[in-house]
């Protein structure tokens, strides 16, 4: 072999922070910075409890964000998660409602609660399967497919609730899961589950082959196939994974409110997408992380709750979110371009 | 400098183009007479495409001058070239499928007022031009409903109606059927009658002998000859002018070649391939040589399970699966033709690129072994002398040669026994080329087999033990390499000449 022999040591020593770590740090510091600025402007903002609330109030969107982030990294969209939240919530209510109620909306299938939950998750899986079928087998762009299944899922929920709510004739255990508090604190079970999900997702993403496959597929699908990766199987898994998370979120939400409501989770798919993008996930795939998405969620939460704290009318929230998204994405693009110049 | 008759529509004088380390076009002077079909021939790398790019304004010459109709011609952009009456027909078609024929013909020449299109006599003019060339095409038809040849005719009509008096055609028949080729030739003859000069570039020597009035031969960037085709004594003289020298030959017979058949392919057939059968032995380097479109990539992808194909492929006596995943599991690896789009994960680092083809070695029950990855990256950076200061460098930022080495490292890491290399040194600098050849030889010496799919004759003659010659999807002939192999015969076969009829 020709050329000067480099020692292994130099090859590692010269290693610099990867772009991903760089962007994640950037997002995290923006989140912290915004929190500090908001603390100066809004009275009583700088409290541990408030910081905790920023996370716990957003458990649903953050949980959905995990599945959406994995799919985005693999180069695919999932816009169906909001619809799946509504569908699985409504299904769990309908299956659990006892038979023979006073009217159509108060009588269900009368299944035991555990079976109702399992069946609702199956319903969610069906939507995930549909996504995978159209994206993987028929090669239809995922943004179109999941836009369709979003409406399919919500539409079914709408039919089952007749455009209204189902909240009567439910067994007592129905409200337990969503309202259980953990370890004698005020933290509810769904928040704990979100924490567990984040830890598991970060482990899969960073430490397992499954996570690596996701990056390879997103970075270059053609090269991934030619390198022997079963892309179809992997993307199918990801869609099922995302829809199961959304299904569980829907079940927990309907348990928390003891009702099945077809408009629940409206626009949650966009919030999940927004926090992923704020967190530095590349829309083209192959780049981003769950940790980044988590800090993206914090940014969004700080901005919206500070606005509320500054008694800005809630009507302004969308515009505020939009401004935050544009600024964040501009900043990331600029920072990456500058770094890699 | 002396023989420039006033009839010359285009003349170049002392034209030179330097790239760092290479002189692609070296002091070329010739002239082209008006209303002729002038052919340009030469091997890959002879400088044809660089010359054409200078004529069309895509590249600027290092030195030398060009004249059009007797006046100095210095195009800076392809647009300048068109202004001067020089239009080019590239291999890829530039038509808009969704628009009608007429819209395509006037594309970019529309007249408008305040952004609204206005009717002009332009429409009538282009319709007349098209009718003169090929009356069977309906101007109101949608372009997507036309055949490739008809689309090409649209492009020719567009060039002609823009007032071009020189049309450059770069391998126009690569995608055409035989009947369509006939019609294209008819069109070219009509153009010549209409006082348009055609510069025709092709590897298919039969076409040139049939169509051309004059021919210019380039070799290694130098001008070899320009003469009327009536003065050329057939294919053999053309081939002689194209080769001329002794090819750079450093092939030495290798002692590790065995007779054990590792891979046996029988009757491979698909849209392009016609009943291709061959076998590869253990420890052997075989070459598949042919022009672009001869079926090299198709064979490579078929062996790798990337495309469906009829016929049987036995590897080590067993059927190969029909997916790259199974091929890799069986010990076959492919370095694809396009390294940036098919081989590399360009936005990932060297470290992250190497392990992808051998995940079993990289993981414990699904958990990725990061330390193993680092060891592997350091090992291969060292083994293949990949020029980098860090294993965490993005592969995007590496030079072509180093990128190719990363793709090779990926394949080596899979511990394959049969390596398929599709154009392994395309766009790779000379130094890295030699290094890649050394890697290939070492692999074969270790008892693996390598198949090189290449359109560079130097490459297959330099390293391959046996060479399969391909033309238009058929395996025409097999040549055992040695230091006095018959190069004229090889070139004759791959350019469509009957086997064994040269010289």
């Amino acid at each position: 072999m020709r050329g000067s022999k480099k020692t292994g040591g130099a090859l590692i020593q010269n290693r610099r922070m990867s772009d991903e770590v760089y962007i994640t740090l950037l997002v995290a510091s923006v989140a912290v910075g915004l929190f500090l600025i908001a603390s100066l402007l809004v009275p009583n903002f700088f409290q541990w409890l408030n910081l905790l609330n920023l996370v716990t109030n957003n458990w649903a969107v953050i949980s959905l964000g995990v599945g959406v982030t994995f799919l985005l990294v693999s180069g695919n969209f999932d816009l169906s998660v909001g619809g799946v939240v509504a569908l699985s919530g409504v299904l769990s209510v309908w299956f659990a409602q006892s038979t023979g109620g006073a009217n159509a909306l108060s009588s269900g299938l009368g299944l035991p609660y555990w079976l109702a939950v399992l069946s609702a998750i199956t319903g969610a899986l069906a939507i995930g399967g549909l996504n995978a079928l159209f994206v993987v087998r028929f090669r239809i762009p995922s943004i179109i497919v999941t836009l369709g299944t979003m409406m399919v899922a919500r539409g079914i929920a709408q039919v089952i609730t007749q455009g209204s709510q189902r909240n009567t004739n439910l067994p007592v255990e129905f409200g337990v899961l969503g309202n259980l508090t953990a370890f004698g604190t005020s933290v509810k079970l769904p928040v704990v589950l979100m924490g567990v999900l984040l830890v598991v997702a970060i482990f899969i993403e960073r430490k397992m082959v499954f996570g690596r496959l996701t990056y390879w597929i997103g970075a270059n699908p053609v090269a991934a196939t030619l390198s022997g990766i079963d892309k179809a199987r992997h993307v199918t898994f990801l869609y099922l994974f995302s829809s199961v998370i959304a299904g569980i979120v829907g079940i927990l939400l309907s348990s928390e409110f003891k009702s099945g409501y077809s408009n629940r989770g409206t626009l949650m798919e966009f919030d999940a997408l927004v926090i992923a993008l704020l967190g530095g996930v590349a829309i083209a795939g192959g780049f981003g992380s769950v940790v980044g998405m988590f800090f993206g969620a914090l940014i969004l939460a700080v901005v919206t709750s500070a606005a509320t704290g500054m008694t800005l009318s809630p009507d302004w929230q969308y515009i505020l979110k939009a401004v935050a998204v544009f600024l964040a994405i501009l900043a990331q693009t600029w920072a990456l371009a500058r770094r890699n110049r | 400098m002396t023989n420039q008759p006033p009839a010359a529509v285009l003349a170049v004088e002392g034209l030179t183009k330097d790239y760092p380390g290479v002189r692609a076009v070296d002091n070329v002077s010739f002239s082209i007479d008006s209303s002729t079909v002038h052919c340009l021939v030469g091997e890959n790398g002879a400088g044809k495409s660089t010359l054409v790019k200078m004529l069309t304004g895509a590249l600027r010459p290092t030195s030398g001058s060009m004249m059009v109709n007797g006046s100095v011609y210095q195009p800076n952009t392809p647009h300048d070239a068109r202004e001067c009456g020089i239009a080019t027909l590239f291999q890829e078609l530039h038509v808009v499928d969704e628009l009608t024929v007429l819209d395509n013909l006037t594309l970019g020449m529309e007249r408008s007022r305040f952004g609204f299109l206005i009717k002009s006599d332009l429409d009538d003019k282009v319709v007349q031009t098209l009718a003169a060339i090929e009356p069977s095409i309906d101007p109101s038809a949608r372009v997507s409903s036309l055949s490739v040849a008809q689309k090409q005719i649209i492009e020719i009509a567009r060039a002609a109606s823009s007032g071009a008096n020189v049309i450059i055609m770069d391998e126009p028949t690569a995608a055409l059927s035989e009947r369509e080729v006939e019609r294209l030739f008819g069109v070219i003859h009509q153009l010549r009658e209409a006082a348009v000069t055609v510069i025709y570039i092709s590897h298919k020597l039969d076409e040139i002998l049939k169509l051309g009035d004059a021919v210019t031969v380039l070799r290694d960037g130098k001008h070899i000859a320009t003469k009327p085709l009536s003065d050329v004594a057939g294919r053999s003289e053309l081939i002689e002018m194209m080769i001329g020298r002794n090819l750079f030959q450093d092939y030495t017979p290798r002692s590790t070649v065995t007779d054990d058949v590792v891979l046996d392919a029988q009757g491979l057939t698909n849209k392009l391939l016609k009943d291709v059968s061959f076998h590869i032995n253990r420890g052997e380097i075989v070459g598949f040589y042919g022009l672009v479109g001869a079926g090299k990539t198709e064979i490579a992808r078929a062996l790798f399970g990337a495309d469906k194909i009829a016929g049987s492929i036995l590897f080590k006596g067993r059927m190969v699966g029909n997916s790259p995943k199974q091929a890799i599991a069986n010990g076959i690896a492919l370095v694809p033709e396009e390294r940036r789009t098919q081989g590399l994960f360009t936005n990932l680092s060297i470290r992250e690129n190497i392990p992808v083809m051998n995940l079993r070695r990289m993981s414990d029950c699904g958990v990725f072994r990061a330390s193993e990855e680092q060891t592997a990256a350091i090992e291969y950076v060292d083994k293949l002398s990949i020029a980098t200061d860090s294993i965490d460098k993005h592969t995007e930022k590496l030079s072509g040669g180093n990128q190719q080495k990363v793709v090779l490292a990926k394949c080596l890491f899979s511990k394959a026994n049969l390596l398929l290399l599709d154009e392994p040194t395309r766009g790779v600098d000379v130094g890295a080329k030699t290094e890649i050849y050394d890697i290939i030889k070492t692999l074969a010496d270790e008892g693996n087999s390598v198949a090189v799919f290449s359109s560079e004759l130097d490459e297959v003659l330099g390293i391959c033990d046996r060479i399969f010659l391909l033309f238009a999807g058929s395996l025409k002939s097999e040549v055992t390499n040695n230091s006095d192999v018959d190069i004229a015969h090889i070139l004759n076969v791959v350019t469509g000449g009957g086997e064994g009829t040269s010289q």
Side-chain angles (χ1 to χ4, degrees), chain A:
Chain A
M1 290 291 146
R2 190 191 63 127
S4 62
K5 269 224 165 191
K6 282 169 231 89
T7 58
L11 287 171
I12 306 170
Q13 257 170 27
N14 277 326
R15 147 176 217 181
R16 53 170 214 174
M17 198 194 295
S18 73
D19 281 353
E20 216 155 85
V21 176
Y22 174 73
I23 283 294
T24 309
L25 280 179
L26 189 79
V27 173
S29 42
V30 168
V32 171
L34 280 176
F35 182 75
L36 294 177
I37 293 171
S39 304
L40 291 178
L41 298 176
V42 181
N44 296 329
F45 199 84
F46 193 77
Q47 287 178 11
W48 280 117
L49 189 64
N50 187 40
L51 188 59
L52 191 66
N53 280 342
L54 289 179
V55 178
T56 57
N57 291 344
N58 290 296
W59 67 268
V61 171
I62 294 175
S63 304
L64 297 182
V66 171
V68 169
T69 301
F70 267 82
L71 274 163
L72 276 178
V73 169
S74 81
N76 293 285
F77 285 93
D78 191 354
L79 295 180
S80 70
V81 288
V84 172
V85 166
L87 175 67
S88 73
V90 166
L91 282 180
S92 73
V93 171
W94 185 45
F95 290 148
Q97 277 179 321
S98 45
T99 49
N103 55 47
L105 277 184
S106 58
S107 51
L109 299 183
L111 299 180
Y113 184 54
W114 64 270
L115 193 57
V117 165
L118 278 186
S119 313
I121 291 179
T122 313
L125 272 175
I127 298 292
L130 215 56
N131 288 338
L133 178 73
F134 280 94
V135 173
V136 171
R137 188 147 289 269
F138 301 135
R139 291 160 202 255
I140 298 172
S142 59
I143 193 163
I144 297 169
V145 170
T146 58
L147 200 61
T149 50
M150 163 179 109
M151 289 186 273
V152 168
R154 198 173 291 285
I156 297 173
Q158 198 103 25
V159 169
I160 294 174
T161 58
Q162 300 179 0
S164 169
Q165 295 201 33
R166 285 176 173 265
N167 51 15
T168 52
N169 231 343
L170 283 166
V172 265
E173 65 267 30
F174 191 87
V176 173
L177 280 181
N179 293 296
L180 203 66
T181 54
F183 319 120
T185 61
S186 64
V187 177
K188 288 186 174 177
L189 178 70
V191 179
V192 176
L193 290 181
M194 174 205 76
V196 173
L197 175 66
L198 280 178
V199 172
V200 171
I202 291 167
F203 183 78
I204 292 177
E205 180 192 87
R206 296 284 124 203
K207 296 287 175 199
M208 294 193 64
V209 174
F210 189 89
R212 271 312 181 78
L213 291 175
T214 315
Y215 283 95
W216 279 321
I217 289 172
N220 188 342
V222 178
T225 309
L226 288 179
S227 301
I229 293 174
D230 194 340
K231 193 175 68 187
R233 199 174 82 144
H234 195 82
V235 174
T236 305
F237 273 144
L238 289 178
Y239 272 113
L240 295 179
F241 174 59
S242 177
S243 63
V244 166
I245 294 175
I248 293 175
V249 167
I251 290 164
L252 291 172
L253 279 173
S254 54
S255 167
E256 186 179 347
F257 295 102
K258 298 190 186 72
S259 75
Y261 179 38
S262 61
N263 280 345
R264 186 164 291 136
T266 307
L267 292 183
M268 263 194 194
E269 60 279 323
F270 290 106
D271 278 346
L273 188 62
V274 163
I275 61 174
L277 297 181
L278 279 177
V281 180
I283 210 147
F287 188 84
S289 67
V290 170
V291 178
M293 180 277 297
F294 177 75
F295 282 109
L298 277 189
I299 293 180
L300 194 64
V302 168
V303 168
T304 45
S305 90
T308 318
M310 286 160 75
T311 62
L312 192 66
S313 147
D315 300 336
W316 283 91
Q317 280 199 9
Y318 279 116
I319 289 179
L320 211 62
K321 274 190 200 177
V323 171
V325 171
F326 280 125
L327 286 182
I329 287 165
L330 270 179
Q332 282 167 20
T333 317
W334 177 77
L336 265 191
R338 206 181 127 86
R339 178 178 156 89
N340 288 328
R341 194 163 45 194

Side-chain angles (χ1 to χ4, degrees), chain A residues 1-12 14-16 19 203 206-210 212-213 215-217 219-230 233 285-287 339-340, chain B residues 301 304 306 324-325 328 334 336 340-345 347-348 351-352 355-357 359 363 366-368 373-374 378 381-392 394 397 410 435:
Chain A
M1 290 291 146
R2 190 191 63 127
S4 62
K5 269 224 165 191
K6 282 169 231 89
T7 58
L11 287 171
I12 306 170
N14 277 326
R15 147 176 217 181
R16 53 170 214 174
D19 281 353
F203 183 78
R206 296 284 124 203
K207 296 287 175 199
M208 294 193 64
V209 174
F210 189 89
R212 271 312 181 78
L213 291 175
Y215 283 95
W216 279 321
I217 289 172
N220 188 342
V222 178
T225 309
L226 288 179
S227 301
I229 293 174
D230 194 340
R233 199 174 82 144
F287 188 84
R339 178 178 156 89
N340 288 328
Chain B
R301 288 178 63 95
F304 192 56
K325 189 180 179 159
I328 292 168
L334 169 76
R340 289 181 54 83
T341 57
Q342 303 174 334
L344 272 187
F345 301 94
N347 70 342
L348 299 180
R351 181 171 57 85
E352 292 164 315
V356 64
M357 285 171 89
L359 294 172
S363 60
V367 178
F368 202 77
E373 182 188 53
Q374 184 165 313
I378 292 170
V381 165
D382 190 40
K383 209 165 152 182
L384 308 188
S385 340
I386 298 171
T388 177
D389 56 350
S390 163
I391 54 171
D392 282 303
H394 275 199
K397 290 179 196 148
K410 254 175 66 184
E435 288 178 353

Side-chain angles (χ1 to χ4, degrees), chain B residues 206-220:
Chain B
D206 292 331
E207 290 179 359
I208 284 163
L209 292 166
K210 190 167 167 189
L211 187 71
D213 297 314
V215 64
T216 291
V217 183
L218 295 178
R219 185 203 309 155
D220 295 334

